[in-house]
Amino acid sequence: MQQTFITHAPTETEQVGRAFACELRASGKDTALIALRGGLGVGKTAFTRGFASAFGRMHVKSPTYTIVNEYRTDEATVFHFDMYRIEDEEDLLGIGFDDYLRERAFCLVEWSENVEPWLPRERYTVTIERLGTDSPDARRITIREENV
Ligand SMILES: Nc1ncnc2c1ncn2[C@@H]1O[C@H](COP(=O)(O)OP(=O)(O)OP(=O)(O)O)[C@@H](O)[C@H]1O
Ligand SMILES: [Mg+2]
């Protein structure tokens, strides 16, 4: 499965995240690893904010300083990671990543590039790219289901 979207504002990127969450829920899922790819300020947190909003009141803030934020409602659990400062397996074990993966939860991982070797094989990869310089707010979002 691969889907591509073009957005022109943060609210549109949130909407793509929200629609993706609704799709997972509709297919009966309550657990998934979602690896976010894309450089600084491209919209990874915006996507996550929209995703979490599908499950009720979850007010997503960037986990830059905390590395992981947890959101729980009656409908779902969302763990939101920022791996910007994670460099190796030791760092990852240090934050208890394995324990998070064992939970019934959606794990959204910013800077997943940094932890690629330690991610579960079965996952969704969400790649967000800037589109050209004429329209600085335009983004291409590609969602791929993987079993690498
Ligand atoms: N189409 C768009 N989708 C998402 N964000 C957009 C878009 N156009 C402009 N923006 C702006 O880009 C920024 C995206 O911020 P966000 O925190 O979501 O990025 P990020 O990828 O999580 O960054 P970081 O790498 O610092 O964690 C915001 O300032 C937002 O207003
Ligand atoms: Mg972010």
Side-chain angles (χ1 to χ4, degrees), residues 100-120:
Y100 288 108
L101 292 182
R102 274 192 285 271
E103 282 208 43
R104 185 172 294 197
F106 296 108
C107 292
L108 288 94
V109 182
E110 295 197 29
W111 295 99
S112 62
E113 295 93 329
N114 289 358
V115 298
E116 183 86 41
W118 306 291
L119 294 176

Side-chain angles (χ1 to χ4, degrees), residues 4 10 49 88 109 119 127:
T4 302
R49 180 171 297 123
D88 53 29
V109 182
L119 294 176
T127 305

Side-chain angles (χ1 to χ4, degrees), residues 72-138:
R72 294 174 199 272
T73 67
D74 292 344
E75 286 199 57
T77 299
V78 171
F79 297 131
H80 181 202
F81 297 88
D82 187 332
M83 302 301 192
Y84 191 71
R85 288 185 183 73
I86 301 290
E87 289 178 351
D88 53 29
E89 193 172 15
E90 201 184 330
D91 290 349
L92 208 52
L93 292 174
I95 63 162
F97 191 56
D98 284 5
D99 298 327
Y100 288 108
L101 292 182
R102 274 192 285 271
E103 282 208 43
R104 185 172 294 197
F106 296 108
C107 292
L108 288 94
V109 182
E110 295 197 29
W111 295 99
S112 62
E113 295 93 329
N114 289 358
V115 298
E116 183 86 41
W118 306 291
L119 294 176
R121 288 157 164 250
E122 211 174 299
R123 64 201 188 217
Y124 295 92
T125 299
V126 175
T127 305
I128 310 180
E129 298 157 288
R130 286 195 170 79
L131 278 186
T133 42
D134 330 336
S135 44
D137 290 350

Side-chain angles (χ1 to χ4, degrees), residues 6-14 38-47 49 62-64 80 82 84 110-111 128 130 136-139 141:
I6 305 291
T7 68
H8 299 91
T11 48
E12 291 180 22
T13 294
E14 285 174 24
L40 266 178
V42 81
K44 302 179 292 296
T45 297
F47 182 94
R49 180 171 297 123
S62 177
T64 304
H80 181 202
D82 187 332
Y84 191 71
E110 295 197 29
W111 295 99
I128 310 180
R130 286 195 170 79
D137 290 350
R139 305 285 192 268
I141 305 174

